[in-house]
Amino acid sequence: MKKFLALALTAAMTMTMLTACGSSEPASAEETEAATEETTEAVEETTEAEESTEAPAEETAEAATSEALADGVLTVGTNAEFPPFEYVGDDGEPDGFDMALVKAIGEKLGVEVQIENMEFASLVSSIGSKIDIAAAGMTVTDERKETVDFTNSYYEAVQYVILPADSEIATADDLKDKAIGVQLGTTGDFIAEELTSNVSQYNKAVDAVNDLVNGRVDLVIIDKNPALVFENKFEGQVVAVDGAQFGFEPEEYAIALPKGDTALADQINAAIDELKADGTFDELVKTYIEAE
Ligand code: GLN
């Protein structure tokens, strides 16, 4: 705009010199300046108009952002009884791989992460009310997909069988008609219920293992990594056996999301991709899972 004004003044001065008409000079210069100001105002108005047309576009972009993130807080449900993915840390707060992962996701998305520790069996039904999402070493299953959506999978697992150290159970056939301990509402529970009606369901996985040690159940079916943690914790008393030996299929862990919230799925998937690309994800695997 300054350039335009300078040009206008130059033109006015040139005209003054050419016309040599004393009285009209100042008027002419003023008129030119006034015209310039009008032009400036008009241009400013245009800019404002452009800005105001941009505003609805921004609103549209916000509308595509998940409601779950609108308050700046992502409430994450978990069941902190599933080491190394989630457990209660020394400070009394939920810790573990999943907790570190969701906090890193929260940082990428610019939202605060709040953890709600609850029963595993309540997680899926609490999504969209008590909690925004659930991160709990949760296996993607068709049944759960009827109620919730899942992010891309972030870990492959399989069910393990925890046995008393002196147990002779070794094949799929040996599992039939045994007393099986499981964590309520888990894929281990679903497998056990297909094998027998003699299933003891616990809210805390460690209670199932305690009952195995006490002889109240013959075996416990639980995911690989917690099984290995419990094998360590109850060293010499129990052994953890790969469920592949009994024909159990691999499972995929993912974060559970409100059904239909594709904006949230896209944002969390993008955050996980970034954490994988920048090495954070591998660091968390090393710290929490491989160090187990
Ligand atoms: N992966 C198992 C499931 O989704 C167990 C998860 C857990 O106990 N936290 O059912």
Side-chain angles (χ1 to χ4, degrees):
M1 201 39 60
K2 268 184 188 150
K3 218 176 183 178
F4 181 72
L5 190 64
L7 278 173
L9 284 174
T10 312
M13 276 161 72
T14 313
M15 269 167 65
T16 308
M17 281 160 72
L18 287 176
T19 55
C21 178
S23 63
S24 69
E25 281 167 34
S28 169
E30 267 166 33
E31 268 165 31
T32 314
E33 258 184 61
T36 309
E37 267 165 30
E38 265 169 41
T39 318
T40 311
E41 271 166 32
V43 169
E44 272 167 13
E45 264 166 39
T46 316
T47 315
E48 267 166 34
E50 270 169 14
E51 271 167 15
S52 67
T53 50
E54 268 168 23
E58 273 168 27
E59 267 163 36
T60 316
E62 268 166 29
T65 303
S66 165
E67 249 181 57
L69 303 177
D71 58 357
V73 180
L74 183 64
T75 310
V76 182
T78 197
N79 173 246
E81 301 291 343
F82 196 70
F85 293 94
E86 38 271 333
Y87 49 85
V88 178
D90 294 336
D91 60 356
E93 296 298 319
D95 195 4
F97 178 84
D98 287 337
M99 302 300 96
L101 180 64
V102 289
K103 281 176 196 160
I105 291 171
E107 263 176 45
K108 292 272 181 209
L109 301 183
V111 292
E112 188 195 321
V113 170
Q114 228 164 45
I115 310 285
E116 284 290 327
N117 190 8
M118 56 206 294
E119 284 177 13
F120 183 81
S122 304
L123 287 169
V124 165
S125 62
S126 301
I127 290 172
S129 54
K130 247 185 173 171
I131 53 175
D132 294 318
I133 64 172
M138 193 180 285
T139 303
V140 179
T141 69
D142 288 341
E143 200 191 354
R144 289 174 182 154
K145 274 200 212 156
E146 285 173 14
T147 318
V148 291
D149 286 344
F150 283 98
T151 59
N152 295 333
S153 141
Y154 64 85
Y155 193 78
E156 189 183 297
V158 67
Q159 294 301 305
Y160 261 44
V161 176
I162 308 182
L163 299 167
D166 58 359
S167 173
E168 287 179 355
I169 292 171
T171 66
D173 262 1
D174 297 338
L175 298 178
K176 285 178 189 152
D177 301 320
K178 293 287 186 300
I180 305 182
V182 296
Q183 204 185 350
L184 177 67
T186 61
T187 43
D189 185 0
F190 307 149
I191 290 176
E193 284 174 61
E194 300 234 316
L195 291 166
T196 176
S197 55
N198 194 359
V199 180
S200 300
Q201 299 161 312
Y202 302 82
N203 277 318
K204 296 183 181 186
V206 69
D207 290 344
V209 186
N210 271 320
D211 270 4
L212 178 71
V213 171
N214 296 334
R216 289 198 187 97
V217 295
D218 301 316
L219 61 116
V220 169
I221 301 182
I222 192 167
D223 302 48
K224 171 185 175 174
N225 298 90
L228 294 173
V229 170
F230 291 129
E231 185 182 46
N232 254 333
K233 193 175 153 93
F234 294 85
E235 211 191 326
Q237 297 176 283
V238 304
V239 287
V241 182
D242 188 339
Q245 186 173 320
F246 301 94
F248 301 163
E249 300 287 335
E251 301 181 7
E252 298 284 343
Y253 290 173
I255 296 173
L257 310 165
K259 200 155 184 57
D261 196 341
T262 51
L264 188 60
D266 289 349
Q267 279 176 285
I268 295 183
N269 281 332
I272 295 174
D273 286 348
E274 275 180 45
L275 293 167
K276 283 189 172 170
D278 70 16
T280 309
F281 188 90
D282 281 348
E283 271 309 307
L284 297 183
V285 171
K286 272 193 205 126
T287 307
Y288 287 97
I289 302 176
E290 285 167 4
E292 133 200 325

